[in-house]
Amino acid sequence: MGKLLIVGTMAFDAIETPFGKTGRILGGAGTFIGLAASQYKIDSAIVSVVGDDFPQSYMDIFINKDIDLSGVEVVKGGKTFFWEGKYHNDLNSRDTLATELNTLADFNPVVPSNFTDADIVMLGNLHPNIQLSVINQMEKRPKLIVLDTMNFWMDNSWDDLMKVISEIDVITINDEEARQMTEEYSLVKAAEKIQKMGPKYVVIKKGEHGALLFHKENIFFAPALPLEEVFDPTGAGDTFAGGFVGYLTEVGNISFESMKNAIIHGSNLASFCVEKFGTERMVDLHKSEVNARLQQFKELTQFNIELT
């Protein structure tokens, strides 16, 4: 069975969308990636940090899905990372109302000894130096290192970001971030530039408009499934990443053709995530629902055309 190491936040979120408002609920990149990846037949572990205010009932969600939490540090007397945001009516833009780093400010990740030989490493959106320290703890080069980042690190830690990007295989970013990183409006040109920075594969997420995969001269596009209801886009990008790496870890094949399937699997799981607030939909998601929607994806994108 393949091994997946996930590095990312386990957090509290408070979310407001046009459809309602939550109190503090379970969130964080590591959380969404882990829940999505748990849909696959793999061994997975999360490396993260929380305060002792993080309830056991939240820990049990991961434990019940056989996710190894030995790399999660619980800081006595510490508070868990907290993010609060309000989405605009289009659900594509949002305002951050509060960000409290708390225990994350001094996070020093320690990879569990039984996962230093992981097949795939998924580096969630964190400071580039934290991401790099995880790579340096691996006892052998993983088959694949996947990294997510954001414009904040581009603005504030460019040199550190370039250092870690030179060490990875796949980067997942959104279209706005790809343009900022390369100063190219064309996503094709942006992906070319990013590949020269180190990653062999570039995944550009376009929210409700799907995702693009680039590798050398090869390009693949996967749509997002048109949904009747979208309640909360929080965590959709991380859920996409979790499906992507979860699938690749299960099949053990990291070819371009395999990554095309992984993009579909990621998009498929992200379509569930947005249907309810926070992690609510992902916690109780059944494999039968996942497979049924994969069939919808197939029907959405498959056609026969005769070229004369």
Side-chain angles (χ1 to χ4, degrees):
M1 199 179 290
K3 278 187 182 180
L4 171 65
L5 179 69
I6 299 159
V7 186
T9 52
M10 291 164 61
F12 295 132
D13 288 344
I15 301 154
E16 184 176 349
T17 77
F19 307 104
K21 189 175 182 178
T22 73
R24 290 193 173 209
I25 58 174
L26 176 62
T31 295
F32 284 105
I33 295 166
L35 291 176
S38 73
Q39 289 290 331
Y40 300 90
K41 294 184 181 72
I42 60 173
D43 288 328
S44 64
I46 297 176
V47 174
S48 192
V49 62
V50 295
D52 57 11
D53 58 346
F54 196 81
Q56 185 60 42
S57 59
Y58 284 176
M59 292 289 196
D60 290 341
I61 289 171
F62 300 97
I63 293 164
N64 292 339
K65 294 185 180 295
D66 294 323
I67 299 169
D68 187 311
L69 297 182
S70 58
V72 177
E73 180 188 0
V74 181
V75 179
K76 283 191 176 176
K79 286 186 172 183
T80 301
F81 176 75
F82 171 66
W83 177 82
E84 183 177 5
K86 180 178 181 178
Y87 285 88
H88 300 176
N89 286 339
D90 65 356
L91 290 178
N92 285 324
S93 49
R94 69 187 185 192
D95 297 322
T96 292
L97 305 180
T99 303
E100 297 170 13
L101 290 177
N102 298 330
T103 52
L104 193 64
D106 302 311
F107 180 37
N108 184 22
V110 178
V111 176
S113 58
N114 56 327
F115 274 85
T116 55
D117 61 346
D119 299 293
I120 294 182
V121 174
M122 176 69 224
L123 301 169
N125 175 25
L126 289 163
H127 192 289
N129 286 345
I130 291 176
Q131 295 172 321
L132 193 59
S133 77
V134 170
I135 295 173
N136 292 336
Q137 290 178 57
M138 304 307 291
E139 67 181 46
K140 64 182 176 72
R141 168 82 190 184
K143 276 190 195 173
L144 204 68
I145 301 174
V146 185
L147 175 142
D148 189 22
T149 192
M150 66 184 297
N151 44 18
F152 179 82
W153 307 121
M154 296 175 203
D155 292 335
N156 297 287
S157 303
W158 178 260
D159 290 347
D160 295 328
L161 182 59
M162 287 302 103
K163 196 178 294 180
V164 72
I165 280 178
S166 71
E167 299 283 337
I168 65 164
D169 303 299
V170 185
I171 186 169
T172 68
I173 50 175
N174 67 33
D175 47 354
E176 178 194 347
E177 291 156 353
R179 290 179 172 126
Q180 179 179 336
M181 183 179 274
T182 60
E183 298 179 333
E184 292 283 0
Y185 182 78
S186 160
L187 294 177
V188 176
K189 286 183 178 175
E192 281 176 12
K193 275 194 177 179
I194 294 168
Q195 286 178 75
K196 287 173 183 167
M197 296 171 184
K200 296 187 272 299
Y201 300 88
V202 178
V203 177
I204 298 180
K205 299 171 287 186
K206 291 170 59 65
E208 63 181 322
H209 304 297
L212 288 154
L213 170 66
F214 297 88
H215 172 58
K216 296 180 179 173
E217 296 82 32
N218 301 306
I219 304 175
F220 176 70
F221 172 71
L225 196 69
L227 297 170
E228 282 186 36
E229 290 187 302
V230 176
F231 267 81
D232 173 21
T234 310
D238 293 313
T239 299
F240 169 89
F244 179 80
V245 293
Y247 172 81
L248 290 174
T249 306
E250 180 178 281
V251 298
N253 179 345
I254 56 169
S255 66
F256 185 77
E257 290 303 310
S258 187
M259 283 197 195
K260 285 161 66 170
N261 286 339
I263 292 271
I264 297 291
H265 276 259
S267 298
N268 189 46
L269 288 176
S271 75
F272 288 104
C273 178
V274 301
E275 290 181 335
K276 291 187 178 179
F277 280 109
T279 59
E280 193 180 340
R281 189 72 174 92
M282 300 307 294
V283 168
D284 299 319
L285 185 60
H286 293 288
K287 195 71 177 173
S288 58
E289 297 176 279
V290 175
N291 290 338
R293 192 165 288 183
L294 272 174
Q295 185 61 39
Q296 283 182 264
F297 258 96
K298 192 173 181 184
E299 290 164 6
L300 179 71
T301 55
Q302 212 170 37
F303 55 89
N304 289 317
I305 189 166
E306 287 186 20
L307 298 174
T308 56

